[in-house]
Amino acid sequence: MLLHRLAVAAAKTSLRPSLARNSRTIAPTMTGITTARFGSSVAKDEEATTTIVDNSQEENPTELPTAPESTYSMKKSGTPSPWAVFDAWGAGADIVDPLSPAMEKLLESESVKIPMTPEEQATLAGETEILDAYDQFLQRKSSVHFGYPYNLMYNHSELYEFMKYSINNLGDPFVPSNYSVHSRQFECAVIDFFADLWKMEKDSYWGYVTTSGTEGNLHGILLARECHPDAILYTSQETHYSVFKAARYYRMDCQSIPTLPMGEIDYDLLEKAISRNLDRDIIINVNIGTTVKGAVDNLDRILRTLQVLNVPRERFHIHCDGALFALMMPFVDYAPEISFQKPIDSIAVSGHKMLGCPMPCGIALCRKEHVEKVEQHIDYLNSVDTTIMGSRNGQAALYLWYSLRKKGVEGIKRDVEHCMETARYLRDKLTEAGFTCRVNDLSSTVVLERPLDENLVKRWQLACEEDIAHVVVMPNVTRNKIDLFVKELTECKDKLGRIRPVRENSPLRQLHSLAWGGSVVQPFGTN
Amino acid sequence: MLLHRLAVAAAKTSLRPSLARNSRTIAPTMTGITTARFGSSVAKDEEATTTIVDNSQEENPTELPTAPESTYSMKKSGTPSPWAVFDAWGAGADIVDPLSPAMEKLLESESVKIPMTPEEQATLAGETEILDAYDQFLQRKSSVHFGYPYNLMYNHSELYEFMKYSINNLGDPFVPSNYSVHSRQFECAVIDFFADLWKMEKDSYWGYVTTSGTEGNLHGILLARECHPDAILYTSQETHYSVFKAARYYRMDCQSIPTLPMGEIDYDLLEKAISRNLDRDIIINVNIGTTVKGAVDNLDRILRTLQVLNVPRERFHIHCDGALFALMMPFVDYAPEISFQKPIDSIAVSGHKMLGCPMPCGIALCRKEHVEKVEQHIDYLNSVDTTIMGSRNGQAALYLWYSLRKKGVEGIKRDVEHCMETARYLRDKLTEAGFTCRVNDLSSTVVLERPLDENLVKRWQLACEEDIAHVVVMPNVTRNKIDLFVKELTECKDKLGRIRPVRENSPLRQLHSLAWGGSVVQPFGTN
């Protein structure tokens, strides 16, 4: 496929073993469910350097250049994802007014409660009245959503009538069950698409449509543990909490590796951690986009590390948490390649994120040989138990299939381009307006200083972590909304000021690091 | 509540310690993920006795009395759940014809595949054409479904428009997240309803809407393990596979206790198993309706056993797997009471089973104090991580809320009555027609000998286990369909004969046990 050509070339060169490696000693291994924090003093030192340099460059944020390096074209400004192949219902269009107090009251617990007697029922508002208010609520909330990586722009109205049916793909997607009200044919088409996208050979893969990104991670880590019962799970500190949750649920030893300022795993510390436990099998979770900063761990560098340490293929399992970005990267030109042609074992991606779906869902994909090790035949299902859930949402598979068919590869590519470009537009607007803010390469997640007005945070539904917030630019995030958002942020700053970093090596201070490159507004109260 | 009055009285008397207990020795404890099969020779002995007595009573099945003990009224015959409060779309109505070969072709993998290029796309059928065939497929399959405990009869058309929105209740239902496109108010109303049904005090409970019955069991068993890290999990051999899966995922010691012929746990063997491990904490999974036979474990007897063994309250956790029946039992007059007024800890129930929902879902409910022990604050969500999934389907909560509001307590009660009565109608028709078949007290699951025609099994989507099959009578199973089903079974029998029990103590032989009481047709080839 054309999307991967150059990435393959890049990957090939990067597979050569690294010659220079850090040999500093690190903290003792911690076993059980721990978050070992190796080498935090190192990160602090670098941060100090960063602060000085940035400070000298950018004393006055209003004098910043207007990001000449950005790739976006101004003529696209203000349009709701102009490349969407099919009409969306309008999450990208105008901002909808908040609810009236009367409507809000209809959604309160006293109104929506379920009556236990006909007498109680008579005292409550009717369902239709409540649902009218709820529709207004959802329109409003969808129109001012910036913080979570959910594409709210889609149109599945042709599928609504299928909500008449209890579509359940119980058991394995590839093994028919006696329950026939299913959507396995659509689920298999979706899995085949992702297998092709990530370059798996026919008959070499297995996968299923999950109920969320978490289920995909729970499945990938479970497979890994079943194939490597005594392994240590290595993952970066900025990994999504579902991976640590998997370790806790499954009673696995887990080592949490510190990150570089931009959010990638600290590769040298990862190598040290592994090298100190070479008697144990190795499970590595690779973040294809971290939750908060959208940082992509360098898969090739991690594979090179394993090669340098002479770890045989049968002694490691690589799981890729690609929640948002595993569906974006194949459509970013010159991006590193996520591919089963490399020695990786499982990938999880969300369906309600980049693609967009009214219900959370995702895809778990892995090498078939792994799942064959763990499958159990269930007579009652006339199928095998290979999935985490038994009953499985067949609607979700149908919705994913429909989106993929309607958008097509070209449609997804245009959506991805919109996100990448618009993210840089937001970053530059924020920087111009005097806010500390960053975007990782390969990412549409704009990380910024946390606004001091919690109402503004709630209104725009920003996801926050300590002293930073982020906006994940999705197809429904448009330039006119961005302009309003930056205006409100500026008003908030004028009224309440800017947040100070909450601690020495806080996320906000890390935004100031030199490692990001480019221009940045210095965090308030630092020097 | 009126529903529980007599059950409470019954429970009170049954809490007195048992005086006579079996003191026979049993097989050694097995630890790890094992299925210890205690005392199978005992079951065999009983079976032998059963066979002789039944044989003498029912030499000629055609002479059987027409079940005078049944409670159904013939005037209701042939109606699709006549008590449904709101109109259903017709799963209970006529049987829809199978698809034409042309339509079937539209649903094959070559047709539904997702194209990677516009050229490939041009070779494929359009989505609308495919979806038309799929609609026909689902209508057909929904109209001849007998085997799984899914209520296919509902009408949520007022909610279809909400599929425009990415409704996601990520994190805890009771802790608002910054993501505001949610349905938490509806989810909490649903949880409050179930908490009331199972008699929990205000502020004493916690729960959430899950993606399936499995997630509810995974959650309940996880809570149990977190509160009792070194406990042994006890559960009957006929437990749903998700409970054994939980033990495997969570690396817990699990003991699988043999069952009585009707499918309940063997209480004496449970007591023996516990008494031999009194140094370990105790987790018991109580089946409120087993998957295959619909057998309800006697909760009061299990609680009495713990009392007799002097197990302090803080050393055990009782999880109730109430997938189908925890929503039926409160509506069955004089049924044993499932209640948190008793020393139980968590319940899981499915939403797509008795209530009916286009996507699998369920409710997990537990004592609040347990979940407080395991919650983890997640900054990114501005919520706490208490649920198994992170992103959570907000549509499902809305659908459940709507069903509960539209049906009401009285509507559910009428649905339950229909199921119980119609199950007995089916049992009697099958017995009259010369088939071995049984229904447990408190259950609408009709267990019968497996038909020898696999096409018939597939057409009616029967769930099978070795030499038995079952029909779970749900609101969409009607007497006219039953009559057709029995007619087809009879034709199959005339053509292919009847199945012989596949082994000495097979499920089919157990159907013949005296323990069930009443009349039964002797399994073919036994004496």
Side-chain angles (χ1 to χ4, degrees):
Chain A
M1 265 182 57
L2 77 166
L3 301 163
H4 298 292
R5 271 185 312 215
L6 278 139
V8 171
K12 275 181 186 156
T13 52
S14 70
L15 272 168
R16 286 183 214 132
S18 156
L19 296 175
R21 281 172 290 116
N22 189 327
S23 62
R24 195 164 27 81
T25 56
I26 53 169
T29 301
M30 298 163 80
T31 54
I33 301 140
T34 64
T35 49
R37 294 177 180 268
F38 303 152
S40 58
S41 65
V42 180
K44 207 189 294 179
D45 292 344
E46 197 200 349
E47 192 53 46
T49 318
T50 308
T51 307
I52 292 160
V53 178
D54 276 29
N55 193 24
S56 66
Q57 285 179 333
E58 293 144 22
E59 190 69 28
N60 185 350
T62 59
E63 288 172 21
L64 283 172
T66 53
E69 79 280 16
S70 85
T71 57
Y72 62 81
S73 140
M74 287 307 289
K75 72 178 184 295
K76 291 172 188 164
S77 175
T79 56
S81 185
W83 310 274
V85 168
F86 64 104
D87 286 342
W89 64 274
D94 288 341
I95 290 175
V96 175
D97 289 336
L99 269 67
S100 66
M103 276 190 160
E104 276 187 353
K105 207 167 164 54
L106 279 168
L107 298 178
E108 286 174 1
S109 60
E110 272 310 298
S111 168
V112 302
K113 68 187 288 192
I114 292 156
M116 286 307 212
T117 61
E119 294 71 39
E120 198 183 357
Q121 187 168 18
T123 67
L124 298 172
E127 290 77 39
T128 303
E129 198 183 352
I130 291 170
L131 291 173
D132 284 348
Y134 186 51
D135 187 73
Q136 180 72 19
F137 169 89
L138 293 173
Q139 274 190 47
R140 161 69 185 175
K141 296 300 184 185
S142 299
S143 75
V144 286
H145 173 256
F146 263 33
Y148 292 80
Y150 308 146
N151 177 4
L152 304 187
M153 197 145 130
Y154 46 74
N155 183 344
H156 297 103
S157 55
E158 196 173 358
L159 300 181
Y160 293 174
E161 282 292 317
F162 290 97
M163 298 307 280
K164 289 190 300 199
Y165 304 110
S166 289
I167 309 178
N168 190 334
N169 293 351
L170 65 174
D172 190 290
F174 297 97
V175 182
S177 159
N178 281 359
Y179 183 68
S180 306
V181 187
H182 68 82
S183 65
R184 276 191 178 74
Q185 57 275 72
F186 299 102
E187 182 174 20
C188 290
V190 169
I191 295 161
D192 290 347
F193 171 84
F194 281 95
D196 195 4
L197 199 66
W198 298 324
K199 308 203 157 199
M200 302 195 85
E201 306 290 341
K202 197 172 176 326
D203 296 326
S204 76
Y205 57 86
W206 183 92
Y208 75 105
V209 170
T210 62
T211 59
S212 65
T214 291
E215 188 178 347
N217 285 337
L218 288 179
H219 192 266
I221 304 292
L222 178 73
L223 279 189
R225 191 202 69 177
E226 297 297 82
C227 296
H228 304 274
D230 298 314
I232 297 173
L233 168 62
Y234 302 90
T235 193
S236 90
Q237 274 172 10
E238 300 199 27
T239 298
H240 187 259
Y241 63 93
S242 58
V243 173
F244 297 108
K245 184 148 85 168
R248 184 161 64 97
Y249 286 4
Y250 301 151
R251 290 185 157 165
M252 296 167 72
D253 287 345
C254 174
Q255 291 196 17
S256 163
I257 309 294
T259 47
L260 301 171
M262 291 156 77
E264 288 172 55
I265 196 165
D266 186 321
Y267 304 94
D268 286 322
L269 295 183
L270 173 66
E271 181 174 338
K272 289 294 148 201
I274 294 173
S275 66
R276 292 178 51 258
N277 294 285
L278 279 177
D279 55 326
R280 305 272 295 269
D281 280 8
I282 295 158
I283 299 168
I284 303 178
N285 173 68
V286 176
N287 292 308
I288 311 300
T290 58
T291 315
V292 175
K293 294 180 191 162
V296 178
D297 289 339
N298 186 327
L299 172 63
D300 291 323
R301 183 162 174 189
I302 291 169
L303 292 172
R304 211 181 324 128
T305 297
L306 291 171
Q307 195 178 56
V308 166
L309 293 173
N310 285 318
V311 180
R313 179 66 184 97
E314 67 276 13
R315 296 215 31 229
F316 69 88
H317 180 114
I318 304 260
H319 173 72
C320 298
D321 177 7
L324 169 64
F325 216 64
L327 182 53
M328 295 179 76
M329 263 189 24
F331 302 95
V332 174
D333 291 330
Y334 308 110
E337 189 189 41
I338 306 303
S339 157
F340 280 86
Q341 299 295 314
K342 302 178 185 178
I344 65 172
D345 301 279
S346 52
I347 293 188
V349 68
S350 296
H352 59 297
K353 290 182 177 151
M354 187 58 215
L355 207 53
C357 189
M359 47 217 146
C361 58
I363 292 94
L365 205 77
C366 65
R367 295 187 188 276
K368 199 174 177 181
E369 67 213 58
H370 297 332
V371 88
E372 281 168 353
K373 279 185 201 153
V374 302
E375 74 180 24
Q376 314 226 331
H377 181 80
I378 306 294
D379 224 15
Y380 176 73
L381 300 182
N382 193 23
S383 184
V384 289
D385 180 32
T386 42
T387 56
I388 298 208
M389 295 305 151
S391 281
R392 297 192 304 103
N393 187 340
Q395 301 280 355
L398 185 63
Y399 276 68
L400 290 177
W401 175 83
Y402 188 82
S403 289
L404 289 172
R405 286 277 290 225
K406 285 290 182 183
K407 268 187 204 288
V409 164
E410 288 306 305
I412 301 173
K413 188 165 168 64
R414 285 190 293 263
D415 271 354
V416 170
E417 282 169 359
H418 163 85
C419 295
M420 302 300 270
E421 291 178 13
T422 309
R424 276 132 196 93
Y425 175 83
L426 171 59
R427 177 195 62 190
D428 297 341
K429 285 284 167 186
L430 285 170
T431 307
E432 277 174 46
F435 297 98
T436 312
C437 130
R438 295 289 199 176
V439 184
N440 255 307
D441 185 34
L442 302 170
S443 172
S444 70
T445 302
V446 179
V447 194
L448 63 148
E449 59 184 80
R450 182 177 187 153
L452 284 173
D453 180 1
E454 275 304 298
N455 286 332
L456 188 148
V457 167
K458 288 236 181 316
R459 184 164 58 251
W460 291 93
Q461 302 165 54
L462 304 182
C464 296
E465 192 171 74
E466 297 189 69
D467 46 12
I468 60 171
H470 79 192
V471 171
V472 185
V473 176
M474 291 277 93
N476 53 295
V477 172
T478 57
R479 294 185 186 201
N480 56 344
K481 286 189 188 175
I482 284 174
D483 293 343
L484 178 64
F485 173 67
V486 175
K487 181 169 161 281
E488 288 192 19
L489 272 180
T490 306
E491 287 163 4
C492 163
K493 182 180 73 170
D494 292 346
K495 195 172 158 196
L496 301 174
R498 295 170 61 203
I499 195 167
R500 281 172 188 272
V502 294
R503 59 184 173 83
E504 192 53 45
N505 191 30
S506 78
L508 178 54
R509 281 185 189 268
Q510 286 177 22
L511 291 193
H512 201 203
S513 163
L514 265 188
W516 299 82
S519 308
V520 76
V521 177
Q522 188 182 329
F524 180 65
T526 61
N527 50 44
Chain B
M1 265 182 59
L2 75 166
L3 301 164
H4 298 293
R5 270 183 312 208
L6 277 139
V8 170
K12 274 181 187 156
T13 53
S14 70
L15 273 168
R16 287 184 214 131
S18 155
L19 296 176
R21 279 172 289 117
N22 188 329
S23 60
R24 196 164 26 80
T25 57
I26 54 169
T29 301
M30 297 166 80
T31 53
I33 302 143
T34 63
T35 50
R37 295 180 179 266
F38 305 152
S40 57
S41 64
V42 179
K44 207 188 295 177
D45 293 344
E46 197 199 351
E47 192 57 45
T49 316
T50 308
T51 306
I52 293 161
V53 178
D54 276 31
N55 195 22
S56 66
Q57 283 179 334
E58 293 142 22
E59 191 68 28
N60 184 351
T62 57
E63 287 172 21
L64 280 173
T66 52
E69 78 280 18
S70 84
T71 58
Y72 62 83
S73 141
M74 286 307 290
K75 70 180 187 291
K76 290 172 187 163
S77 175
T79 56
S81 185
W83 311 274
V85 168
F86 63 104
D87 285 343
W89 64 275
D94 287 343
I95 290 175
V96 174
D97 288 337
L99 269 67
S100 66
M103 276 190 161
E104 275 188 353
K105 208 169 162 57
L106 279 169
L107 298 179
E108 285 174 1
S109 61
E110 272 312 297
S111 168
V112 302
K113 68 187 287 192
I114 293 157
M116 286 308 213
T117 62
E119 294 70 37
E120 196 182 358
Q121 188 168 18
T123 68
L124 299 172
E127 290 76 37
T128 303
E129 200 183 351
I130 291 170
L131 291 173
D132 283 347
Y134 186 51
D135 188 72
Q136 182 71 21
F137 170 88
L138 293 173
Q139 273 188 47
R140 161 69 186 174
K141 297 300 184 184
S142 299
S143 75
V144 284
H145 173 255
F146 263 32
Y148 293 81
Y150 308 146
N151 176 3
L152 305 185
M153 195 145 131
Y154 44 74
N155 184 343
H156 297 103
S157 56
E158 195 173 357
L159 300 180
Y160 293 174
E161 282 292 316
F162 291 97
M163 298 307 281
K164 290 190 300 199
Y165 304 111
S166 290
I167 309 179
N168 190 335
N169 293 351
L170 66 173
D172 191 290
F174 297 96
V175 182
S177 158
N178 282 358
Y179 183 67
S180 305
V181 187
H182 69 82
S183 65
R184 276 191 177 72
Q185 57 276 70
F186 299 102
E187 183 175 21
C188 289
V190 169
I191 295 161
D192 290 346
F193 171 83
F194 282 95
D196 195 3
L197 200 63
W198 297 324
K199 307 203 154 201
M200 303 197 82
E201 307 288 342
K202 198 172 176 325
D203 296 327
S204 76
Y205 58 86
W206 182 92
Y208 74 106
V209 170
T210 62
T211 59
S212 65
T214 292
E215 186 178 348
N217 284 338
L218 288 178
H219 192 266
I221 305 292
L222 178 73
L223 278 189
R225 191 202 69 178
E226 296 298 81
C227 295
H228 304 275
D230 298 316
I232 296 173
L233 167 63
Y234 301 91
T235 193
S236 90
Q237 274 173 10
E238 300 199 27
T239 298
H240 188 258
Y241 63 93
S242 58
V243 172
F244 298 108
K245 184 149 87 168
R248 182 161 65 99
Y249 287 4
Y250 302 152
R251 291 184 158 167
M252 296 166 72
D253 287 345
C254 174
Q255 290 196 16
S256 164
I257 309 294
T259 47
L260 302 171
M262 293 156 74
E264 289 173 50
I265 196 165
D266 185 322
Y267 304 95
D268 285 321
L269 295 182
L270 173 67
E271 181 175 337
K272 290 293 147 200
I274 294 172
S275 65
R276 291 178 52 258
N277 294 285
L278 279 176
D279 55 324
R280 305 270 295 270
D281 280 8
I282 295 157
I283 300 169
I284 303 177
N285 174 69
V286 176
N287 293 307
I288 310 301
T290 57
T291 315
V292 175
K293 295 182 193 161
V296 178
D297 289 339
N298 185 328
L299 172 62
D300 291 323
R301 183 165 174 185
I302 291 170
L303 291 173
R304 211 180 326 127
T305 297
L306 292 170
Q307 195 180 55
V308 166
L309 293 173
N310 284 317
V311 180
R313 180 67 185 97
E314 66 276 12
R315 297 217 27 230
F316 69 87
H317 180 114
I318 304 262
H319 173 73
C320 298
D321 177 5
L324 168 65
F325 216 63
L327 182 53
M328 294 180 78
M329 265 195 12
F331 301 95
V332 174
D333 292 329
Y334 309 109
E337 188 189 44
I338 305 304
S339 157
F340 279 88
Q341 299 296 313
K342 300 177 184 178
I344 65 171
D345 300 279
S346 52
I347 294 186
V349 68
S350 296
H352 59 297
K353 290 185 177 147
M354 187 58 216
L355 208 51
C357 188
M359 47 216 145
C361 58
I363 292 94
L365 204 78
C366 65
R367 294 187 188 276
K368 198 173 176 183
E369 66 212 59
H370 298 330
V371 88
E372 282 168 352
K373 279 184 200 153
V374 303
E375 73 179 26
Q376 312 226 334
H377 182 80
I378 306 294
D379 225 14
Y380 176 73
L381 301 181
N382 192 26
S383 185
V384 290
D385 180 29
T386 42
T387 57
I388 298 210
M389 296 304 151
S391 281
R392 294 191 307 104
N393 187 339
Q395 302 280 355
L398 185 63
Y399 276 67
L400 290 178
W401 175 83
Y402 187 81
S403 289
L404 289 172
R405 286 277 291 222
K406 285 289 183 184
K407 268 188 202 289
V409 164
E410 287 305 306
I412 301 172
K413 188 167 169 58
R414 284 190 293 263
D415 272 355
V416 169
E417 282 168 359
H418 164 85
C419 296
M420 303 299 271
E421 290 178 13
T422 309
R424 275 133 196 95
Y425 175 83
L426 172 58
R427 177 197 60 191
D428 297 342
K429 286 283 169 190
L430 286 169
T431 308
E432 278 174 47
F435 296 99
T436 311
C437 126
R438 295 290 198 173
V439 183
N440 255 305
D441 184 35
L442 302 170
S443 172
S444 71
T445 302
V446 179
V447 194
L448 63 149
E449 57 184 81
R450 184 176 185 152
L452 283 173
D453 179 1
E454 275 304 299
N455 286 331
L456 189 148
V457 166
K458 289 235 182 318
R459 183 164 60 252
W460 290 94
Q461 303 164 52
L462 304 182
C464 297
E465 193 171 74
E466 299 188 72
D467 46 12
I468 59 170
H470 79 192
V471 171
V472 185
V473 175
M474 290 276 94
N476 53 294
V477 173
T478 57
R479 294 185 186 202
N480 56 344
K481 287 189 187 174
I482 285 174
D483 293 344
L484 178 64
F485 173 67
V486 175
K487 181 171 161 280
E488 290 192 16
L489 273 181
T490 306
E491 287 163 6
C492 164
K493 183 179 71 169
D494 293 345
K495 194 173 159 196
L496 301 175
R498 294 169 63 201
I499 194 167
R500 281 173 188 273
V502 295
R503 58 183 173 84
E504 191 54 44
N505 191 31
S506 77
L508 178 54
R509 283 185 186 267
Q510 286 178 21
L511 292 193
H512 200 205
S513 165
L514 266 188
W516 299 83
S519 309
V520 77
V521 176
Q522 190 181 328
F524 179 65
T526 61
N527 49 45

